[in-house]
Amino acid sequence: MACCGNCFCCQCCCREGDTRTPEELTILGEIRDEEDEILPRKDYESLDYDRCINEPYVEVLEGMDNKKAKKYEAVRWMMMFAIGVTVGLVGLFVDFFVHLFTKIKFTLVGDSIEKCTDKGCFPLSLLELLAFNMTFVFIASVLILIEPVAAGSGIPEIKSYLNGVKIPGIVRLRTFFCKAAGVLFSVAGGLFVGKEGPMIHSGAIVGAGLPQFQSITFKRVKFDFPYFRSDRDKRDFVSAGTAAGVAAAFGAPIGGMLFSLEEGSSFWNQALTWKVLFCSMSATFTLNFFRSGINFNKWGSFQLPGLLNFGEFKCPDGDKNCHLWTAVDLAFFVLMGVVGGLLGALFNCMNKGLAKYRIRHIHPKAKFIRVLESLLVSLVTTVVIFAASMLLGECRDLSAPTTHNTTVSISSPSYEDINSTIRQFFCTNKTYNDMATLFFNPQEAAIHQLFHQDGTFSPLTLAVFFLLYFLLACWTYGVSVPSGLFVPSLLCGAAFGRLVANILKVKLGMDIYSGTFALIGSAAFLGGVVRMTISLTVILIESTNEIAYGLPIMITLMVAKWTGDFFNKGIYDIHIQLRGVPLLEWETEVEMDKLTASDIMEPNLTYVYPHTRVQSLVSILRTTVYHAFPVVTENRQNEQDFMKGNILVSNNVRFKKSSVMSRAGEQRRRCQSMKSYPSSELRNVCDEQNTVVEPAEEGEDLLQQMLERRYAPYPNLYPDQSPSEEWTMEERFRPLTFHGLILRSQLVNLLIRGVCYAENQSSATQPRLSYAEMTEDYPRYPDIHDLDLALLNPRMIVDATPYMNPCPYTVSPNTRISQVFNLFRTMGLRHLPVTNAVGEIVGIITRHNLTHEFLVAKLRQHYITI
């Protein structure tokens, strides 16, 4: 039948039609043309946070007593402390070498500029700065070539992991080395990036790897440590490591704990909260102890809590007219929040466009192209900051700087502390360059200047600095180097806040504290970019060590988030979406409750029997990509009852046929509606396009037959009785009694270890595996293609019942989407079977069936149907 573009039914039937559902569009990185949107990919795996209560695990529970439980809990607390201390030491390592490399670079380049001020050899100074920056950036880019997943801040990937999505290589030891070493050179290379984001990623890797006492990258690193061999334990430690990374970066242990909770962890309890807070405290005070001892030679003084410290906000002694902020200032803070939200939305929109360009035109090309892009960004950034400092910087008198209306003499100790980082580049004696003071300093020092130095920078300098920093930071975030976004956003926002303060003081004559407006500007812009609320409020309060800023920071962040959300998502959510990660939000929209579990489930099941031949299992595992299989038995009695009568009697309960959903009935409804796109196999059933199975050649190996022909939905216990392609819908989807779920990794483990029995023997003769043997290869379980088929007898039978999970969470087909979503997300599920009133499985729900894009498409189909 010819396809007509105007016929809706024809468009549904034709595979080339423009109106396609996400089931067909959800392939690797495919983009929907009309919305230019990348849909969630189906090759991402979910983590198994729910426990598999099979017989080996029950044996462990039977052998567990209170003494062993307390010992297990004590080991868990010790690991939390070890993770915190390790993350603190990693922060110390990163901070030490960043300061070392930056000091060497700025000292040599500064001496060259001062010499060239009289001689006029500025191009030579520029070449020296370019040599430093491009060498450092080149090293950082080469490290990313070794482990590409180490690029960026790592926060989108860690947020996805805590949400329950397994991203390959994200918590590898090799990723850790490339991330920790790469961020040294990317920050020292003068790029507008921060080290705080990579610190969070590094903390998550420490949390994931340290309790395992083994490494996939370095296979010799392996110890016999029998604890924490599950995704459930690993994800808890990743949550703790993430919080420790935030705590070490900002000196904010409570903010770190809230960050881990707010930004992803789908499962949380009171015990985990206490452990994560303890881990964050350990990281904060470890870093504080060593930094205070090294910098001040006062061991045990605890004077430097985090890598980024905002300093102390206070009015000069004796100035009673000075206030950090007043009620009148709140109105300006709200307006700054609105502007920060708009600027953040613009930043995210521009960065999203750049990221899409990189995905289409840079990433598919040779890897060295990414290195060239990083070098280009470094070249442009270096030239811009050098030219801006030389041409646009304003030379100001050294006696001008004041600290809130109080003039400070050049020889005073306070002046030395606050202005030790001012730069006289390109200016004569007794003057300094305000633009160079911001550009030719570490970003943390520039933030200090904007927070605590009053009257230092002209409005023109602040405006130009904000514009250049905004554009270059937007271009830089996404290049192939480890890069954080917190510090560039804080610095950009601080310049915006100081610009507002200068206008209010000069134009309106208001008596305000400029440092407060710089802080609020930082909060407004950072909140507009990342759209964090609870955790960011606490992080900024802890960083300032001033609880009086709690209300203005909270109001500013809320307004910035609400304003930005009118236009787009936060920067981390945008990059998660661009990667096609099936992230689950906190809750679904209200109108999604018009759908039920039967509307979104997948009725086309691939399943195994409790006792299945080896050749059937090998065929299933080699011809499918599913990670779990229902264990079922055919309920032929129910099938006969459904065929013959209208009433089914089961367990003394009378069910009407029309009220009990079956797989065949649901699939028939979907096919007849022509508004759903099943798999190619089911499309053939719907369109009655039967294919004929060619008989196998006589004498051909039986296992080879199973591997070469496409796997049909019913793997029979006797493989010579293969299912007919001419079966009706009821025969193909006959009722199946659900007994449990078994994972792909478990089936492969059973085959590799030879756990099976002969058909002339009892299943009791099958070898038994312990829980330790089942989890020995965690987290990298063997693949089915690693199986040596020559060592297996295809006629042997595997008894899967001892190793399946007989009691997984299940839902009814009539369960509303909000209930399904909350159960799936809060319990950290990977698969959710849908069973009808008589215990028959009618479908299965996975993470991809609950993504926002999938639910929206199903809701649209629901409106069309009704």
Side-chain angles (χ1 to χ4, degrees):
M1 181 179 67
C3 237
C4 59
N6 298 325
C7 177
F8 176 78
C9 295
C10 292
Q11 288 178 352
C12 292
C13 293
C14 295
R15 298 182 184 182
E16 294 81 14
D18 293 331
T19 55
R20 297 179 296 173
T21 61
E23 291 96 320
E24 294 190 333
L25 285 170
T26 310
I27 58 179
L28 305 184
E30 184 169 342
I31 299 177
R32 186 185 301 172
D33 293 334
E34 63 269 20
E35 297 181 7
D36 201 28
E37 178 184 0
I38 298 177
L39 296 174
R41 293 165 40 174
K42 285 191 173 180
D43 58 335
Y44 282 115
E45 300 179 32
S46 296
L47 297 170
D48 285 313
Y49 201 75
D50 188 31
R51 290 191 178 94
C52 180
I53 313 295
N54 53 17
E55 291 187 11
Y57 185 77
V58 171
E59 292 175 358
V60 174
L61 292 180
E62 293 293 339
M64 183 70 67
D65 54 21
N66 289 336
K67 184 177 180 180
K68 290 184 178 180
K70 291 180 180 179
K71 177 182 177 183
Y72 186 86
E73 189 69 8
V75 174
R76 183 183 293 271
W77 279 97
M78 287 189 291
M79 291 311 307
M80 289 291 182
F81 178 74
I83 292 171
V85 172
T86 305
V87 172
L89 294 177
V90 171
L92 179 69
F93 169 82
V94 171
D95 180 69
F96 177 80
F97 282 100
V98 165
H99 277 283
L100 178 63
F101 294 155
T102 305
K103 183 178 180 181
I104 293 174
K105 180 183 74 172
F106 282 134
T107 299
L108 294 178
V109 173
D111 293 342
S112 175
I113 292 176
E114 290 179 358
K115 293 179 182 178
C116 291
T117 301
D118 299 328
K119 299 180 180 179
C121 54
F122 288 129
L124 181 61
S125 301
L126 176 60
L127 290 177
E128 289 184 10
L129 185 59
L130 282 171
F132 273 110
N133 287 348
M134 296 186 71
T135 301
F136 288 150
V137 172
F138 176 77
I139 297 173
S141 298
V142 170
L143 290 173
I144 297 304
L145 295 183
I146 300 175
E147 186 54 74
V149 79
S153 66
I155 294 179
E157 291 81 2
I158 295 303
K159 181 176 179 178
S160 303
Y161 188 94
L162 294 177
N163 192 260
V165 182
K166 182 179 181 181
I167 299 181
I170 195 64
V171 289
R172 293 263 190 93
L173 186 59
R174 182 170 60 185
T175 305
F176 171 75
F177 285 126
C178 293
K179 195 83 172 186
V183 72
L184 303 177
F185 297 103
S186 60
V187 174
L191 294 179
F192 292 168
V193 299
K195 54 181 179 290
E196 284 69 25
M199 265 301 303
I200 297 172
H201 187 187
S202 301
I205 299 175
V206 172
L210 193 61
Q212 303 298 317
F213 283 91
Q214 64 177 4
S215 170
I216 298 174
T217 305
F218 304 98
K219 299 185 183 300
R220 293 184 179 181
V221 181
K222 187 172 183 179
F223 301 92
D224 186 15
F225 191 71
Y227 301 95
F228 317 126
R229 313 295 292 172
S230 68
D231 284 342
R232 185 186 186 91
D233 294 321
K234 188 173 184 178
R235 190 147 66 123
D236 286 349
F237 286 122
V238 170
S239 299
T242 302
V246 176
F250 297 97
I254 301 176
M257 184 265 294
L258 292 175
F259 176 88
S260 184
L261 171 62
E262 179 183 5
E263 286 300 301
S265 294
S266 58
F267 181 86
W268 203 267
N269 55 39
Q270 183 179 3
L272 183 59
T273 302
W274 187 234
K275 293 184 180 70
V276 169
L277 181 59
F278 173 70
C279 182
S280 301
M281 287 288 185
S282 302
T284 301
F285 285 97
T286 299
L287 179 63
N288 198 342
F289 175 80
F290 285 101
R291 289 191 72 208
S292 301
I294 293 174
N295 293 338
F296 301 109
N297 198 24
K298 295 180 180 180
W299 297 92
S301 59
F302 298 104
Q303 298 179 15
L304 296 174
L307 299 181
L308 178 61
N309 185 16
F310 292 161
E312 185 178 6
F313 290 80
K314 66 176 183 178
C315 293
D317 295 335
D319 188 356
K320 297 182 180 181
N321 295 325
C322 173
H323 301 282
L324 294 181
W325 64 278
T326 63
V328 177
D329 297 336
L330 284 177
F332 295 101
F333 297 161
V334 171
L335 294 177
M336 291 175 67
V338 173
V339 176
L342 295 174
L343 292 172
L346 177 62
F347 184 95
N348 293 353
C349 181
M350 295 171 57
N351 189 261
K352 181 179 181 179
L354 287 170
K356 284 185 175 181
Y357 180 84
R358 291 185 176 108
I359 291 174
R360 294 192 183 104
H361 302 290
I362 295 180
H363 292 174
K365 297 182 180 179
K367 291 184 177 181
F368 76 91
I369 299 296
R370 304 185 190 186
V371 178
L372 293 180
E373 185 201 13
S374 302
L375 294 177
L376 176 63
V377 174
S378 176
L379 172 65
V380 173
T381 302
T382 304
V383 172
V384 165
I385 64 175
F386 194 92
S389 300
M390 184 171 64
L391 302 176
L392 302 177
E394 181 178 340
C395 294
R396 301 172 69 86
D397 192 351
L398 281 173
S399 62
T402 61
T403 58
H404 194 74
N405 303 329
T406 303
T407 304
V408 181
S409 63
I410 299 177
S411 60
S412 67
S414 176
Y415 179 86
E416 294 296 331
D417 294 337
I418 297 175
N419 299 283
S420 60
T421 55
I422 63 172
R423 296 290 180 254
Q424 297 180 257
F425 298 163
F426 316 112
C427 290
T428 58
N429 293 333
K430 295 185 179 180
T431 60
Y432 68 95
N433 189 320
D434 57 353
M435 186 75 75
T437 300
L438 294 176
F439 275 132
F440 281 86
N441 268 312
Q443 295 175 99
E444 294 81 1
I447 291 175
H448 260 267
Q449 287 279 350
L450 292 170
F451 280 177
H452 301 291
Q453 185 59 52
D454 199 8
T456 305
F457 311 100
S458 67
L460 178 62
T461 296
L462 291 172
V464 172
F465 176 81
F466 171 79
L467 179 62
L468 295 178
Y469 215 94
F470 180 92
L471 296 175
L472 290 175
C474 183
W475 185 22
T476 304
Y477 188 73
V479 298
S480 294
V481 295
S483 57
L485 195 60
F486 274 95
V487 171
S489 299
L490 289 171
L491 181 53
C492 198
F496 159 66
R498 281 299 297 269
L499 179 60
V500 172
N502 283 9
I503 294 175
L504 293 178
K505 294 182 72 172
V506 175
K507 300 296 183 181
L508 301 181
M510 297 181 61
D511 186 17
I512 60 175
Y513 188 84
S514 299
T516 297
F517 278 79
L519 176 64
I520 297 302
S522 295
F525 186 77
L526 182 58
V529 171
V530 302
R531 311 290 165 79
M532 294 162 50
T533 53
I534 304 173
S535 57
L536 188 55
T537 300
V538 177
I539 288 172
L540 293 178
I541 292 174
E542 289 185 284
S543 299
T544 58
N545 197 25
E546 184 58 66
I547 192 62
Y549 283 134
L551 180 62
I553 289 176
M554 183 176 65
I555 292 177
T556 303
L557 289 176
M558 289 171 58
V559 173
K561 174 178 170 56
W562 292 339
T563 304
D565 285 342
F566 274 112
F567 301 96
N568 49 34
K569 295 183 178 180
I571 188 69
Y572 300 135
D573 291 326
I574 287 175
H575 280 264
I576 288 173
Q577 185 180 23
L578 291 177
R579 288 173 172 82
V581 178
L583 193 77
L584 299 184
E585 302 295 338
W586 281 102
E587 56 186 5
T588 59
E589 297 176 357
V590 176
E591 61 179 350
M592 294 302 174
D593 262 348
K594 297 175 183 178
L595 302 175
T596 62
S598 61
D599 294 321
I600 66 170
M601 70 182 185
E602 175 55 58
N604 181 29
L605 301 177
T606 301
Y607 50 84
V608 298
Y609 293 129
H611 300 263
T612 309
R613 290 196 186 278
V614 167
Q615 60 188 13
S616 295
L617 289 180
V618 172
S619 175
I620 293 171
L621 294 171
R622 285 202 166 192
T623 56
T624 64
V625 294
Y626 306 121
H627 296 281
F629 304 93
V631 181
V632 302
T633 53
E634 294 182 13
N635 195 346
R636 296 186 179 276
Q637 181 61 39
N638 285 3
E639 178 185 0
Q640 295 174 3
D641 292 336
F642 271 168
M643 297 292 184
K644 296 177 180 178
N646 192 44
I647 300 296
L648 172 64
V649 180
S650 175
N651 297 328
N652 298 323
V653 179
R654 298 172 66 86
F655 295 96
K656 287 186 177 181
K657 173 184 175 182
S658 59
S659 65
V660 178
M661 178 177 291
S662 64
R663 295 171 60 237
E666 173 64 15
Q667 191 58 37
R668 185 190 294 106
R669 182 186 69 80
R670 295 191 180 192
C671 292
Q672 289 175 350
S673 68
M674 299 303 294
K675 296 181 180 65
S676 177
Y677 289 81
S679 65
S680 59
E681 177 185 322
L682 296 182
R683 184 181 288 108
N684 292 339
V685 176
C686 299
D687 298 337
E688 299 180 354
Q689 298 175 356
N690 298 327
T691 57
V692 180
V693 180
E694 298 181 0
E697 298 181 5
E698 187 175 356
E700 187 178 356
D701 182 72
L702 191 59
L703 179 60
Q704 193 63 30
Q705 297 177 31
M706 290 293 295
L707 294 178
E708 289 182 353
R709 73 165 176 257
R710 191 180 186 281
Y711 167 67
Y714 271 82
N716 201 291
L717 185 60
Y718 301 98
D720 52 322
Q721 301 176 0
S722 58
S724 172
E725 294 287 344
E726 299 179 357
W727 277 351
T728 63
M729 184 74 71
E730 282 75 10
E731 290 173 327
R732 250 174 128 73
F733 291 89
R734 56 169 58 98
L736 302 172
T737 299
F738 180 66
H739 297 284
L741 275 178
I742 190 165
L743 300 177
R744 166 183 287 269
S745 59
Q746 294 172 330
L747 289 176
V748 174
N749 202 2
L750 295 179
L751 292 174
I752 286 182
R753 294 178 181 271
V755 180
C756 53
Y757 66 95
E759 56 185 328
N760 58 355
Q761 296 177 334
S762 169
S763 60
T765 62
Q766 176 175 279
R768 299 294 298 271
L769 295 182
S770 65
Y771 181 77
E773 291 173 320
M774 291 291 294
T775 59
E776 181 180 357
D777 296 316
Y778 179 83
R780 184 59 60 87
Y781 290 107
D783 188 74
I784 184 61
H785 298 286
D786 299 331
L787 180 64
D788 188 356
L789 299 179
L791 301 178
L792 291 174
N793 181 356
R795 305 290 298 183
M796 298 287 282
I797 301 172
V798 175
D799 180 10
T801 53
Y803 307 100
M804 71 179 184
N805 183 5
C807 51
Y809 291 97
T810 60
V811 293
S812 164
N814 298 320
T815 308
R816 292 293 160 179
I817 292 302
S818 61
Q819 296 173 289
V820 175
F821 188 90
N822 291 335
L823 175 64
F824 195 97
R825 193 185 192 281
T826 57
M827 300 312 299
L829 303 183
R830 188 176 184 180
H831 308 90
L832 183 59
V834 183
T835 57
N836 61 17
V838 292
E840 296 165 355
I841 185 168
V842 295
I844 197 166
I845 294 173
T846 63
R847 170 177 292 270
H848 301 279
N849 302 109
L850 293 171
T851 57
H852 178 73
E853 294 79 4
F854 189 91
L855 292 178
V856 168
K858 287 297 181 182
L859 186 63
R860 188 183 303 118
Q861 294 174 17
H862 173 76
Y863 286 141
I864 296 175
T865 302
I866 62 177

